[in-house]
Amino acid sequence: MTEGKGWQPLSPGRRVSAAELFAVSPFSRLARVHAMNVATDTFVATALAGSLFFSIPTGEARGKVALYLLLTIAPFAFVAPLIGPAIDRARGGRRLMLIVATASRALVCAFMASHVNDLLLFPCAFALLVAGKGYSIAKSALVPTVVNNDEELVRANARLSLISGVIGFVVVGPAALLVKLAGPEWALIFGAITSSISVVLATRLAPAAVAPEPAGTAEQAELRGTGVVLAAEAMGLLRGMVGFLTFMLAFDLRGGGNDGPIPVGLAVGRGVRSVAGFAAVGTGHPATAPAWHFGVVAGAAVLGGLLGALIAPRLRAFLSEERILLGTLLVLAAVGLACAVQGGLLGAAVIALSVGTAASVGRLAFDSIIQRDAPDANFGRSFARFETRFQLVWVIGSFIPVVVPIPSRIGFLVIAVASGFAAFAYAAGQRRGAARGEPAHGPATVSAF
């Protein structure tokens, strides 16, 4: 308002073009790819719940699952160290890996649709597992390339975790209805469709080199810092617990013995969300747990991932990343012990909720530690390398209950003991670092490897 002239019109602001109004951020493009991949996971897990997997005696299933889990180690143990650096430095290399992984999932889903009742289903399911793990590695490497600055990394990963939970909840109902009305092959067809959409969306990602230059001495030293190594060990244990709990519950939620439901969707799902693949179809002997018990455990697991993504950024506002990780391990140890005493459906649901939350919180805290303590590191290359290790630990954790039948209460106790030991080791490692005069934050002066 100008004195003596009354109200004057405001100066016109900058006009926003239609292109700017409908512009899609690089992160939004990656988030869309991730949403379609989560939908594929859900369709496939639900489809396999009504497939031949559940007509095979559990004793035979253990052997087949153990064999294929061993086979999944090969790509991460040999291929990743050999071609990973070359893919990172190639323009669009990780994007190409993501496109290949999603395209492979689409082709396998389409092939599986005509083989839901023969033994080709087993190798197809584990081909999906390998492709899914490859997608996870590529996605982890691409996240730092689609944010504006390093401070957005944790928020971006939290949003991707929320997308996983929300899409899983939204899709599982229609997928189950589709299986019931039309058969599992139609759920696999929809899985092929969502994976095909992922391929198209992935081609819209910007082709960028994740790590244009080889790792320098500063990056190598920072990633060998005590704080980073301790956080990676803690996160690796949490990822291993996800695999352990998933397969242990899959074989045990039948009330014990050697007959009952078989862990179908577990082979193709990602993390605890794959518990949605449980079903109570017997092998000639009635399953003790009704089908809705598996739904309760699956819902608790997905809810845990959502809770972790919601509370981790808020915890970071008043707690250091180290305290978040240590507290997560201590709480999980206490919950595991309580669930071992409680047992039953309540114990299974609570431990699934807790492990899902802990894995989500732990991952976001770990990402934050890498961002803070390794400022000279290439985050895309670093996250891909750590993600490869975490996937290996997931396979190892999954392998244990497949080979050795473990009752649920004993499994909960194992989680409690492992978490308690990890918390003790994490605190002891921090004290040793302080005794050597290493800073509380930042890279260590002495390698922990």
Side-chain angles (χ1 to χ4, degrees):
M1 179 176 176
T2 306
E3 185 177 353
K5 295 185 179 181
W7 291 101
Q8 299 296 317
L10 295 173
S11 58
R14 187 179 71 88
R15 297 182 63 182
V16 179
S17 66
E20 291 176 316
L21 186 62
F22 293 99
V24 180
S25 69
F27 175 78
S28 295
R29 296 184 190 277
L30 181 61
R32 291 174 179 179
V33 176
H34 185 61
M36 288 297 102
N37 272 275
V38 173
T40 300
D41 287 336
T42 309
F43 276 120
V44 172
T46 308
L48 291 178
S51 69
L52 177 68
F53 273 87
F54 293 109
S55 63
I56 300 175
T58 305
E60 295 181 24
R62 285 188 184 274
K64 292 180 182 294
V65 172
L67 173 62
Y68 288 116
L69 280 175
L70 285 177
L71 292 177
T72 62
I73 295 178
F76 306 119
F78 300 105
V79 178
L82 294 176
I83 69 173
I87 291 177
D88 288 339
R89 289 195 289 272
R91 180 174 173 80
R94 286 293 175 181
R95 186 188 69 164
L96 177 61
M97 181 176 174
L98 191 146
I99 292 173
V100 169
T102 52
S104 299
R105 284 156 64 84
L107 293 173
V108 174
C109 283
F111 181 78
M112 287 176 66
S114 58
H115 293 278
V116 293
N117 291 315
D118 61 54
L119 293 180
L120 285 176
L121 196 62
F122 262 100
C124 287
F126 281 87
L128 284 176
L129 172 62
V130 174
K133 299 304 179 183
Y135 163 80
S136 296
I137 294 170
K139 185 256 300 177
S140 295
L142 288 172
V143 171
T145 69
V146 297
V147 295
N148 295 322
N149 52 64
D150 297 341
E151 284 68 30
E152 294 183 6
L153 278 174
V154 175
R155 185 185 307 169
N157 281 302
R159 289 177 178 175
L160 291 176
S161 296
L162 282 173
I163 289 172
S164 296
V166 171
I167 296 297
F169 267 122
V170 170
V171 175
V172 70
L177 184 63
L178 187 64
V179 169
K180 184 176 182 179
L181 297 179
E185 59 273 12
W186 279 98
L188 289 170
I189 291 173
F190 271 83
I193 292 173
T194 53
S195 278
S196 299
I197 295 173
S198 293
V199 176
V200 176
L201 294 174
T203 60
R204 298 178 63 84
L205 295 171
V210 170
E213 302 294 334
T217 55
E219 177 178 350
Q220 293 175 352
E222 289 174 350
L223 293 178
R224 287 176 170 82
T226 299
V228 172
V229 171
L230 290 174
E233 291 173 350
M235 187 59 226
L237 179 76
L238 289 172
R239 186 66 67 86
M241 286 183 187
V242 170
F244 174 85
L245 180 68
T246 300
F247 280 81
M248 186 269 294
L249 286 179
F251 279 109
D252 189 78
L253 272 180
R254 63 194 180 280
N258 293 321
D259 294 303
I262 296 172
V264 186
L266 303 180
V268 296
R270 298 181 59 252
V272 190
R273 187 177 63 253
S274 54
V275 178
F278 293 163
V281 178
T283 60
H285 300 277
T288 301
W292 67 269
H293 283 201
F294 299 93
V296 169
V297 175
V302 176
L303 179 60
L306 283 171
L307 287 176
L310 288 172
I311 67 176
R314 290 165 175 78
L315 289 175
R316 192 185 176 205
F318 59 90
L319 289 175
S320 68
E321 290 81 356
E322 287 79 8
R323 291 190 177 185
I324 291 174
L325 270 176
L326 182 60
T328 298
L329 292 170
L330 290 173
V331 170
L332 190 56
V335 171
L337 185 60
C339 290
V341 175
Q342 172 66 37
L345 176 62
L346 178 60
V350 171
I351 197 70
L353 174 72
S354 302
V355 170
T357 304
S360 182
V361 170
R363 180 53 199 256
L364 297 178
F366 171 76
D367 290 349
S368 184
I369 287 175
I370 296 294
Q371 172 189 338
R372 184 199 67 200
D373 289 359
D376 294 315
N378 181 287
F379 293 136
R381 170 173 50 213
S382 303
F383 286 158
R385 187 180 79 174
F386 283 116
E387 186 67 23
T388 302
R389 295 180 182 179
F390 296 156
Q391 299 294 0
L392 278 170
V393 176
W394 182 91
V395 172
I396 294 171
S398 304
F399 187 77
I400 296 172
V402 171
V403 176
V404 182
I406 302 176
S408 60
R409 289 195 178 193
I410 299 300
F412 302 158
L413 185 60
V414 169
I415 290 177
V417 173
S419 299
F421 175 79
F424 173 80
Y426 189 78
Q430 287 185 311
R431 287 196 296 270
R432 285 196 299 270
R436 290 196 296 262
E438 296 173 1
H441 302 300
T445 55
V446 180
S447 171
F449 281 141

